Amino acid sequence: GRLEAVTQQMGYHPQYLDSFLKTQHYLMHMDGPLPFDCRHYIAIMAAARHQCRYLVNLHVLQFLRAGGDPQWLRGLDFIPPKLRNLNEINKILAHRPWLITKEHIEKLLKISEWSWSLAELVHAVVLLAHCHALASFVFGCGCEQDDGLGGRGSLKPLSPGNQCFCEVTTGNGCSQELLRINRKRSLDSCMELDSLRERMQRIHVETEGREETRLLQQDREEGEGQGAEVGVQDGTEHCSDLSAGLSPLADTDGEVTGATNLACYMQDPDFGYQDFARRDDDQTQVFRVQDYSWEDHGFSLVNRLYSDIGHLLDEKFRMVDGLQSSAMAKRQGCEPSVFKRGIWNYIHCMFGIRYDDYDYAEVNQLLERMLKVYIKTVTCYPEKTNSEMFDRFWKQFKHSEKVHVNLLILEARMQAELLYALQAITQYMI
């Protein structure tokens, strides 16, 4: 009767979990511009860009339950052209969102019988950004290799059939509690979320104690002096310098699990993240939040074209910002808000988004180099996150604090993708 891995990890922060579940339920199961089977197929396409077998398995099963055509699961060559035309935006948003332009939007909206409506496109863009960011969380917290609370086993391959996703990942029957959440059809039905919150609080208390005991035992076994603290670079105002040279750690197995199985869901698999333009490259323009922000521009646009989703997204952004992280910030010698803003702005910086009122020298002062490597890997190429990274980095942090950092990564990345996509839609509409 265990809950699946993403819910377990987010359960360390029950208020955020409530907000996340409401948003995901609205995107996937409530009234909206897109048919239900298409929503899950778009989620499959998004998750496949990061070779996230965990999310692909989940949405394959839900796609079939929504009445989707099994032939579509053979790959992009077997889906309607309208859906296949979304592939280019999916690829760009997943890896280099700063490349999206109003021409990409215009192409989708003006393709004769296969054209998208603005409302459909906004729904699709939110789904893509949601699943890209969730893939980062899945890899960052080890859910891709889910086996119990530690998330350090092997994910069993999905065999579409009568099993629910919980049975596939845990080997146990799905709890009636989680089934009620998945099947509810109204946001007004809150009893299941209240029950889940209580259960998550119990899990939090139990697992936090086990995690601290495990870490203490591990530290005793490893002894002292394993790896001196890495020094950080001098502060600089240039975005590209903050992430330059921070390469992901190589996977010990030398391969990405499940990559070959997911190849049919994507084109141009070699297209990936590249460091945002260096300061001597004038070809790529920095995205300045003062000119286009979520609060002043993105929120109203998305809420107008896809009713109420703006409110749910805004609540989720605010919720992650309001999570308590006093212990984590205290260890870094700063205020919680300063530490969280440093992580948020560092993530946005890697996507070329700048805040004129922020001193980027603070990033190097607040974030140790190894923590920056972890954040960049999970944000930009999560599929290269290996099974040791979550445990090895910042051992002085509690498990819930590590999850909090991954939630910041999830939301900052999602907002970055949305800003670029919504700005392009706005430019098209002008």
Side-chain angles (χ1 to χ4, degrees), residues 384-425:
K384 295 184 181 180
T385 307
N386 63 46
S387 60
E388 300 176 358
M389 293 178 72
F390 186 79
D391 291 330
R392 188 173 64 195
F393 289 138
W394 19 299
K395 289 183 180 179
Q396 69 272 29
F397 293 157
K398 295 180 179 179
H399 188 86
S400 61
E401 293 172 333
K402 295 181 181 181
V403 173
H404 186 183
V405 170
N406 277 281
L407 292 177
L408 286 168
I409 293 172
L410 186 161
E411 296 300 340
R413 177 181 177 177
M414 181 174 185
Q415 189 179 100
E417 290 189 27
L418 285 177
L419 284 175
Y420 278 109
L422 295 175
Q423 184 192 50
I425 292 174

Side-chain angles (χ1 to χ4, degrees), residues 294-361:
W294 166 257
E295 293 80 5
D296 298 332
H297 307 91
F299 169 81
S300 58
L301 176 63
V302 74
N303 220 45
R304 176 157 53 93
L305 293 172
Y306 181 17
S307 178
D308 292 332
I309 192 61
H311 291 292
L312 291 168
L313 293 173
D314 194 61
E315 175 188 306
K316 197 155 59 78
F317 292 146
R318 294 177 186 276
M319 186 66 67
V320 77
D321 184 57
L323 293 178
Q324 296 299 314
S325 59
S326 55
M328 185 165 57
K330 185 177 180 180
R331 293 188 183 96
Q332 301 303 111
C334 64
E335 293 295 320
S337 60
V338 174
F339 184 64
K340 287 187 290 186
R341 189 181 185 195
I343 293 176
W344 187 279
N345 287 1
Y346 175 55
I347 294 166
H348 276 196
C349 187
M350 288 186 287
F351 289 113
I353 298 175
R354 284 290 303 272
Y355 295 80
D356 288 344
D357 61 349
Y358 185 72
D359 179 7
Y360 285 86

Side-chain angles (χ1 to χ4, degrees), residues 164-226:
C164 77
F165 187 64
C166 300
E167 291 175 306
V168 174
T169 55
T170 66
N172 296 323
C174 183
S175 67
Q176 291 302 310
E177 178 184 18
L178 190 58
L179 279 176
R180 286 196 299 270
I181 293 172
N182 289 338
R183 291 171 180 169
K184 72 186 180 65
R185 285 295 179 266
S186 172
L187 291 176
D188 295 331
S189 178
C190 298
M191 294 180 62
E192 293 86 352
L193 289 176
D194 290 337
S195 177
L196 179 61
R197 184 189 300 110
E198 293 174 2
R199 182 171 184 181
M200 286 298 95
Q201 288 172 339
R202 291 197 301 270
I203 292 176
H204 170 74
V205 172
E206 295 171 0
T207 57
E208 191 75 290
R210 288 199 295 268
E211 177 68 14
E212 291 180 358
T213 301
R214 186 186 67 78
L215 289 178
L216 286 173
Q217 178 64 26
Q218 183 175 320
D219 288 341
R220 283 197 296 268
E221 292 175 355
E222 293 181 355
E224 299 179 353
Q226 189 177 50

Side-chain angles (χ1 to χ4, degrees), residues 210-277:
R210 288 199 295 268
E211 177 68 14
E212 291 180 358
T213 301
R214 186 186 67 78
L215 289 178
L216 286 173
Q217 178 64 26
Q218 183 175 320
D219 288 341
R220 283 197 296 268
E221 292 175 355
E222 293 181 355
E224 299 179 353
Q226 189 177 50
E229 183 175 310
V230 179
V232 295
Q233 305 169 8
D234 294 333
T236 174
E237 65 175 352
H238 297 290
C239 294
S240 57
D241 289 348
L242 294 175
S243 58
L246 298 184
S247 301
L249 300 187
D251 193 326
T252 53
D253 295 328
E255 60 182 4
V256 178
T257 304
T260 55
N261 299 331
L262 306 182
C264 66
Y265 297 121
M266 58 179 172
Q267 297 172 352
D268 195 5
D270 294 331
F271 186 91
Y273 175 82
Q274 290 182 352
D275 284 342
F276 187 74

